[in-house]
Amino acid sequence: MSLPKELRILGLTYRIEEVECVNKISAEKGEINFLTHEIKIDKSMPQDLKEQTLLHEVIHAVFDSLGMYELNDDERTVQSLATALYSTFKENSTSFS
């Protein structure tokens, strides 16, 4: 299963792109740009890690859209939520389509 090309997150459309290099300055699995509404995911990762990374970036988008900037800057909180939600959805074969 491939990642979606775009996602609607709280009324905003984010374009999702799998790239060779997410960030040339630091090694990153994924990155979100709140101004251009773009999410980049490292395409060399296994599919499950790509999916979890996408969920991580979606959580950043939600926190930013809700003005929850302190939580948005807390990578530990964002990653903990992404890991817990991803695991829950995968273990229960959850699909919302």
Side-chain angles (χ1 to χ4, degrees):
M1 180 177 129
S2 60
L3 297 179
K5 298 295 181 200
E6 64 180 35
L7 280 177
R8 297 272 303 155
I9 305 169
L10 296 176
L12 301 172
T13 301
Y14 279 82
R15 189 170 59 92
I16 299 158
E17 185 178 2
E18 293 185 53
V19 297
E20 295 285 338
C21 178
V22 172
N23 186 315
K24 292 180 181 179
I25 297 170
S26 62
E28 302 286 341
K29 296 176 201 165
E31 184 174 81
I32 187 167
N33 185 317
F34 301 113
L35 298 176
T36 61
H37 300 142
E38 295 175 316
I39 296 173
K40 293 180 182 177
I41 304 291
D42 185 326
K43 72 179 189 177
S44 69
M45 298 186 298
Q47 186 64 26
D48 60 338
L49 191 52
K50 288 182 200 177
E51 293 166 358
Q52 186 174 358
T53 301
L54 178 57
L55 186 53
H56 176 105
E57 300 307 333
V58 167
I59 291 168
H60 275 300
V62 169
F63 283 161
D64 184 74
S65 291
L66 295 176
M68 302 172 86
Y69 305 116
E70 197 169 304
L71 284 174
N72 193 31
D73 291 338
D74 184 349
E75 283 297 321
R76 185 173 180 184
T77 296
V78 172
Q79 186 57 42
S80 295
L81 277 170
T83 300
L85 290 171
Y86 184 77
S87 177
T88 300
F89 293 149
K90 280 303 238 188
E91 288 173 13
N92 293 286
S93 301
T94 304
S95 174
F96 296 104
S97 5

